[in-house]
Amino acid sequence: MSIAIGHFAFGAAMTTLVVTYLVPTDRYPRTVILFGGGWAMIPDFHWASPIAAERLRELHRTSPAMDLFWLHRTWDRIDPTDSKSIAAALLAFLIVATALAERRDYRAPAAVRTAYQDRLDSDSMD
């Protein structure tokens, strides 16, 4: 199974891309990105669970539904040895996704930034 930081990095990177390109008006994108990374780690809860740890571990190993958590089960199958190289590659993917998000944010035309800020200001007054 892949190490936790790899799952977190992949989930956060994918959430970054979704927030950047599909939900660009999200008011709390960084918080959503952190939750996306946490979402990817939910199937590993069996490591800390005080109850039903064996049942959760079995679900983690066998249920295809674990791929709903940013392809958790798929990454565990791709990386059964907890490879640090794969974790590093997933962290690099997070860095690239973050750079793309930052580039998009900073390269937005002034008219778009003004309209976006006006919308945020009007929403906060509601």
Side-chain angles (χ1 to χ4, degrees):
M1 78 184 71
S2 190
I3 59 178
I5 191 69
H7 288 298
F8 180 85
F10 183 75
M14 292 302 292
T15 306
T16 298
L17 296 175
V18 167
V19 167
T20 299
Y21 294 106
L22 300 179
V23 193
T25 58
D26 183 23
R27 293 183 66 173
Y28 302 102
R30 288 162 196 83
T31 303
V32 172
I33 290 166
L34 289 175
F35 278 121
W39 177 258
M41 294 174 55
I42 287 175
D44 283 334
F45 180 68
H46 67 86
W47 293 109
S49 174
I51 56 171
E54 277 306 313
R55 178 68 181 127
L56 291 171
R57 186 173 289 115
E58 186 63 27
L59 278 172
H60 175 259
R61 275 188 246 140
T62 61
S63 176
M66 295 302 111
D67 275 341
L68 293 174
F69 301 92
W70 288 120
L71 303 177
H72 188 100
R73 183 169 181 247
T74 299
W75 281 111
D76 281 351
R77 290 174 146 207
I78 290 171
D79 182 22
T81 62
D82 290 346
S83 168
K84 291 175 180 62
S85 299
I86 290 179
L90 292 172
L91 282 169
F93 176 49
L94 174 58
I95 291 168
V96 169
T98 302
L100 288 171
E102 291 295 309
R103 182 177 188 275
R104 180 165 197 247
D105 189 43
Y106 292 135
R107 292 180 53 89
V112 171
R113 282 196 306 269
T114 303
Y116 178 73
Q117 191 58 46
D118 290 345
R119 179 162 188 258
L120 286 180
D121 291 342
S122 69
D123 285 350
S124 67
M125 290 183 175
D126 292 339

